Amino acid sequence: MDLFASDLDNTLIYSYKRDIGTDTVCAEVYEGRQVSFMTKRSRELLEKVNQTMHFVPVTTRSVQQYERIRFGDTWSPRLALAANGGVLLRDGVSDPDWYKASCDLIAPAEPALQQAEAVLEHDPNRTLDVRRVDGLFVFTKSADVPRTLACLRDALDLTHVELFENGVKVYVVPRVLNKGTGVRRLREWFPEARVFAAGDSLFDLPLLAAADTAFCPDALDYTGQPGQTVVTVSPQDGIFSDVVLGRLTANIDG
């Protein structure tokens, strides 16, 4: 059975702030508020995909954040990669061997992660507490992201970590802890499977590179790997999730 490894936010589910039309269904509730949605078409297509492939969510979200998502009324993915691939959930339970291997993998980055935490604790632009997401990478928010990133670059040895930003969010992540590494590790369990992947952001480039077929927005400007099929989607094609899942199910039916 093939794998569909997909990012979540802005790939399959969308913030309430994003206009994806009115034919939607709630995908996430936080503190009593509906905060994320899917289109009804995507929800129906995703259930079909899950019946014919291993659907594996691959997200930078923490385990706690991932657990808020509901993909359907009667099913949930058997496998999921949270914390940028560092945590494998099997039927909703963290695999301890996978997590230990992840911790061993990122061990060389630990001094830089601790230094990043110290720098961010004293950053006057920080607007959120400094968090170690599932023990694997550092996260916070900043009122002046460029200045916060500049402080981190000045203070850190970036040999083993890299910096990311997404809006007001700031991440310090071990270089070896990425979605592509997670998918390659998981792929060892399914050596005969083809891997289809979908993602929309810079965080997803390693994920896309680890797939046989990669779906991405044309704005991401991902050019692909040798021998890989890349399917780009433009805004004129429709909602990204609808287009990706529609083409994926057409591939299944074909």
Side-chain angles (χ1 to χ4, degrees):
M1 189 178 285
D2 294 333
L3 276 70
F4 175 48
S6 181
D7 172 54
L8 295 179
D9 294 277
N10 295 313
T11 296
L12 295 182
I13 67 174
Y14 300 90
S15 165
Y16 68 94
K17 300 176 184 178
R18 174 81 176 270
D19 181 10
I20 57 171
T22 58
D23 199 18
T24 62
V25 60
C26 179
E28 179 184 10
V29 175
Y30 178 58
E31 295 183 343
R33 297 182 298 115
Q34 296 183 340
V35 295
S36 296
F37 293 83
M38 299 178 69
T39 69
K40 289 182 179 178
R41 173 171 169 76
S42 286
R43 193 188 202 201
E44 293 167 358
L45 291 172
L46 186 60
E47 183 169 4
K48 182 176 181 179
V49 168
N50 187 64
Q51 292 169 350
T52 54
M53 308 174 72
H54 294 290
F55 165 48
V56 184
V58 186
T59 180
T60 306
R61 285 177 175 238
S62 68
V63 171
Q64 185 179 45
Q65 291 171 327
Y66 169 76
E67 288 174 339
R68 298 198 298 253
I69 300 173
R70 294 293 176 265
F71 298 97
D73 294 329
T74 60
W75 68 276
S76 58
R78 299 289 306 274
L79 299 171
L81 289 171
N84 226 36
V87 177
L88 172 66
L89 299 174
R90 303 176 67 180
D91 292 320
V93 178
S94 177
D95 184 305
D97 293 333
W98 184 282
Y99 184 72
K100 181 181 183 304
S102 297
C103 291
D104 292 344
L105 195 65
I106 70 167
E110 183 59 29
L113 293 174
Q114 292 184 13
Q115 180 67 12
E117 289 171 324
V119 170
L120 291 170
E121 285 290 352
H122 295 91
D123 181 2
N125 298 298
R126 180 170 55 82
T127 60
L128 184 74
D129 56 312
V130 180
R131 301 176 182 178
R132 182 72 75 97
V133 177
D134 292 322
L136 297 168
F137 61 89
V138 176
F139 167 77
T140 191
K141 294 182 180 180
S142 172
D144 190 337
V145 171
R147 186 164 295 180
T148 295
L149 291 175
C151 290
L152 288 168
R153 290 191 187 97
D154 288 342
L156 300 184
D157 178 353
L158 297 178
T159 302
H160 297 296
V161 297
E162 52 190 333
L163 310 179
F164 292 96
E165 61 178 295
N166 183 5
V168 299
K169 300 175 182 178
V170 174
Y171 302 82
V172 185
V173 184
R175 290 186 180 274
V176 294
L177 185 74
N178 61 64
K179 296 179 180 182
T181 299
V183 168
R184 289 187 182 93
R185 290 169 63 188
L186 188 61
R187 195 168 190 168
E188 294 176 5
W189 297 13
F190 306 94
E192 303 301 320
R194 295 177 299 170
V195 175
F196 299 83
D200 73 292
S201 72
L202 294 178
F203 261 122
D204 301 319
L205 292 178
L207 166 64
L208 298 174
D212 298 298
T213 299
F215 296 89
C216 60
D218 55 7
L220 191 58
D221 199 27
Y222 174 69
T223 56
Q225 302 294 313
Q228 182 184 51
T229 299
V230 177
V231 181
T232 58
V233 179
S234 72
Q236 291 73 31
D237 295 328
I239 302 297
F240 184 65
S241 59
D242 287 353
V243 176
V244 169
L245 293 169
R247 294 182 182 178
L248 192 59
T249 52
N251 182 287
I252 293 169
D253 293 338

